[in-house]
Amino acid sequence: MEFQSILSAATGGHGLAVNPWASVAYLVAGVLFILALRGLSSPATAQAGNRFGMAGMLIAVVTTLLTHAPATAEGFLDTVGLVEILVAIAIGAVIGIVMARRIAMTAMPQLVAAFHSLVGLAAVAVAAAAYLNPQAFGIADAAGEIFTVSRIEMGLGIAIGAITFSGSVIAFLKLNGNMSGSPIMLPGRHIINLGTLAAIIGLVAYFTFDQSPWIFWTVTGLSFLIGFLLIIPIGGADMPVVVSMLNSYSGWAAAAMGFTLGNTAMIITGALVGSSGAILSYIMCRAMNRSFISVIAGGFGADAGPSDGGSKEQRPWKPGSAEDAAFLMSQADTVIIVPGYGMAVAQAQHALREMADQLKKEGVTVKYAIHPVAGRMPGHMNVLLAEANVPYDEVFELEDINGEFAQADVAFVIGANDVTNPSAKTDKTSPIYGMPVLDVEKAKTVLFVKRSMGGVGYAGVDNDVFYMDQTMMLLGDAKKMADDIVKALSGSGH
């Protein structure tokens, strides 16, 4: 029996799988993807979630290879084409394994942004291939006229994919330090952005009536441009929202291309990623008390004015040492640790866990307070603490622990500025006004680890906690400070 006959039995028009076994396999893959998302919702089940996702992707890839294997004009298996596909998969697998093993946890945000860019670029490539050879994809009639529904899918896929790619590239450059994390404000940017978006929407609508090449490639070019324009004015403080937003975009791009390819697994996966990313973006925006539109408009995290640099008011503050911190925490009943991006930069999570272990040996209750937007991406602090084997039951989210600061003896803040800044609750002129923050100032003593008094957080505002009577500033590298505190705890006999 010719290979083409076998392939025809497994696939139908528009590339949709009609083989019941293929449908069942895609359904199983979809269920595994859902279980993966459920598992990833908690650090305790994240490893199992990753395994579910890997199993689902393996099933989806193998099923797609079996039902869409390349065939020659005579109807036999195209071994050359199959080998090329397998080689491409192997190359991608090797790159992925090497990156996963070598990447530092502090660089995880930019890695995620880079992966999003690849998803967007893949969607653009698939859309371009389908446009250039629509009959091979089963989305055109004998005369080469692309079906209207396929034009809609293709137009949306190319637009969302291109936006995801260029936006993710800018996010990567900002996160990786190749580009300033401060907003870059272009003159008339809102008018330019709205005009470009309107042009893209109008051309995608017109594409349903006219499939001329100039329309397709103009949509592609404008979409690459608007992705660049949208992310350039967004500051570092909004990066957690940007990462989750681009995650959502990549999912919708994949779902649109799933319809074009008639691939059920792509549709399911894309919809799951798109919807979960959108929900996460909403959660991040709520955690910052900002609307999605205000994030896209950009500007949060700009360089500060009077509160930044040497022009700010000189206020008295209390310096401290590792020995002071060790003594105060060893005498405490409860210590709440608040990690931030400063901990990530210094890679101090392991030293921090050692410090907590020393305190627990002396009967001190230790808890960790995580703000939803601490760090550079959603869950950044949770990932770092999990890497250091911090027990999951000691890690609490903002809404679960904020009421406990008033009863805590010590709040130990390590590199978290904006998410502990009380001006968010009192100063209507502050750029972070209205953002829920951790109430560290209510603790009896605040130990604040910071590299220097001159720096400010991404929002560019000073933190009043630095100058409060109960605050002791521990200036220096976060990892070294934590290591010194561990030595002081061990050497003191406590």
Side-chain angles (χ1 to χ4, degrees):
M1 185 178 183
E2 289 186 350
F3 177 75
Q4 187 61 48
S5 301
I6 300 173
L7 189 62
S8 297
T11 59
H14 199 62
L16 289 173
V18 295
N19 186 314
W21 291 109
S23 299
V24 169
Y26 283 142
L27 178 61
V28 171
V31 171
L32 288 171
F33 291 144
I34 293 172
L35 292 175
L37 283 176
R38 180 178 178 83
L40 293 172
S41 64
S42 168
T45 56
Q47 288 188 344
N50 271 315
R51 295 189 186 101
F52 282 130
M54 292 164 63
M57 187 56 67
L58 178 63
I59 292 172
V61 170
V62 171
T63 302
T64 301
L65 282 176
L66 291 176
T67 57
H68 294 77
T72 63
E74 293 77 22
F76 296 100
L77 176 65
D78 182 2
T79 54
V80 175
L82 182 60
V83 168
E84 290 176 346
I85 293 173
L86 293 177
V87 169
I89 291 175
I91 292 173
V94 170
I95 293 173
I97 291 170
V98 171
M99 291 181 67
R101 291 180 66 87
R102 292 186 177 181
I103 195 73
M105 295 305 293
T106 49
M108 193 59 65
Q110 47 265 53
L111 178 66
V112 171
F115 282 169
H116 290 163
S117 73
L118 296 178
V119 175
L121 188 60
V124 172
V126 170
Y131 176 75
L132 295 173
N133 193 7
Q135 290 169 320
F137 286 79
I139 59 173
D141 56 26
E145 190 75 13
I146 301 175
F147 303 133
T148 301
V149 65
S150 296
R151 295 189 200 182
I152 297 173
E153 297 160 1
M154 193 182 300
L156 291 175
I158 196 78
I160 300 173
I163 291 171
T164 303
F165 172 74
S166 56
S168 296
V169 169
I170 297 301
F172 172 85
L173 294 175
K174 282 176 172 280
L175 290 168
N176 203 47
N178 303 107
M179 178 182 291
S180 172
S182 300
I184 300 174
M185 303 299 187
L186 301 176
R189 67 186 188 281
H190 296 310
I191 296 175
I192 295 172
N193 290 349
L194 288 174
T196 306
L197 284 172
I200 292 171
I201 295 171
L203 286 171
V204 170
Y206 187 55
F207 186 59
T208 61
F209 301 99
D210 185 351
Q211 64 180 60
S212 298
W214 75 266
I215 301 175
F216 181 85
W217 297 116
T218 301
V219 168
T220 305
L222 289 176
S223 299
F224 279 126
L225 177 64
I226 193 62
F228 173 83
L229 294 175
L230 283 174
I231 307 303
I232 278 289
I234 298 179
D238 280 330
M239 273 301 144
V241 180
V242 171
V243 171
S244 61
M245 177 187 71
L246 291 170
N247 177 55
S248 179
Y249 288 178
S250 67
W252 297 125
M257 288 301 95
F259 280 107
T260 298
L261 296 174
N263 189 294
T264 308
M266 277 189 70
I267 297 171
I268 294 173
T269 308
L272 287 172
V273 173
S275 56
S276 61
I279 293 170
L280 188 57
S281 298
Y282 168 76
I283 293 172
M284 294 295 104
C285 287
R286 188 178 65 179
M288 299 171 69
N289 195 35
R290 286 165 59 72
S291 68
F292 182 76
I293 298 300
S294 67
V295 172
I296 294 301
F300 190 41
D303 290 335
S307 65
D308 195 11
S311 61
K312 68 183 179 182
E313 178 187 355
Q314 296 299 315
R315 302 164 64 183
W317 53 276
K318 186 190 303 179
S321 65
E323 290 74 18
D324 296 329
F327 175 78
L328 289 169
M329 287 192 287
S330 66
Q331 301 300 311
D333 290 325
T334 303
V335 174
I336 299 179
I337 299 173
V338 181
Y341 187 64
M343 181 194 76
V345 172
Q347 300 186 44
Q349 60 269 25
H350 295 282
L352 191 67
R353 194 214 66 219
E354 290 181 32
M355 183 190 82
D357 289 344
Q358 287 278 358
L359 291 173
K360 286 187 288 185
K361 287 179 182 178
E362 299 302 319
V364 179
T365 300
V366 178
K367 297 181 179 181
Y368 297 81
I370 307 296
H371 193 282
V373 295
R376 293 286 192 90
M377 64 178 284
H380 196 181
M381 296 300 105
N382 302 78
V383 170
L384 292 174
L385 294 179
E387 183 198 21
N389 296 318
V390 171
Y392 302 132
D393 58 359
E394 294 178 5
V395 181
F396 298 87
E397 300 298 326
L398 178 146
E399 62 272 14
D400 298 322
I401 200 170
N402 224 16
E404 297 186 28
F405 281 102
Q407 289 77 45
D409 295 295
V410 176
F412 185 85
V413 186
I414 180 165
N417 186 39
D418 295 334
V419 299
T420 61
N421 196 332
S423 69
K425 297 177 285 187
T426 59
D427 185 2
K428 293 185 177 181
T429 64
S430 173
I432 61 173
Y433 178 72
M435 182 178 85
V437 293
L438 292 162
D439 297 332
V440 297
E441 77 279 4
K442 293 182 179 179
K444 295 174 184 175
T445 300
V446 179
L447 300 175
F448 211 116
V449 181
K450 198 170 182 290
R451 186 170 292 276
S452 70
M453 291 300 293
V456 291
Y458 279 116
V461 291
D462 212 4
N463 192 337
D464 287 340
V465 172
F466 301 161
Y467 313 103
M468 292 181 174
D469 293 336
Q470 75 270 34
T471 300
M472 181 179 291
M473 300 300 299
L474 308 174
L475 302 185
D477 178 79
K479 184 178 184 302
K480 186 178 185 305
M481 182 62 67
D483 283 334
D484 289 345
I485 292 174
V486 171
K487 292 176 183 177
L489 287 170
S490 302
S492 64
H494 291 292

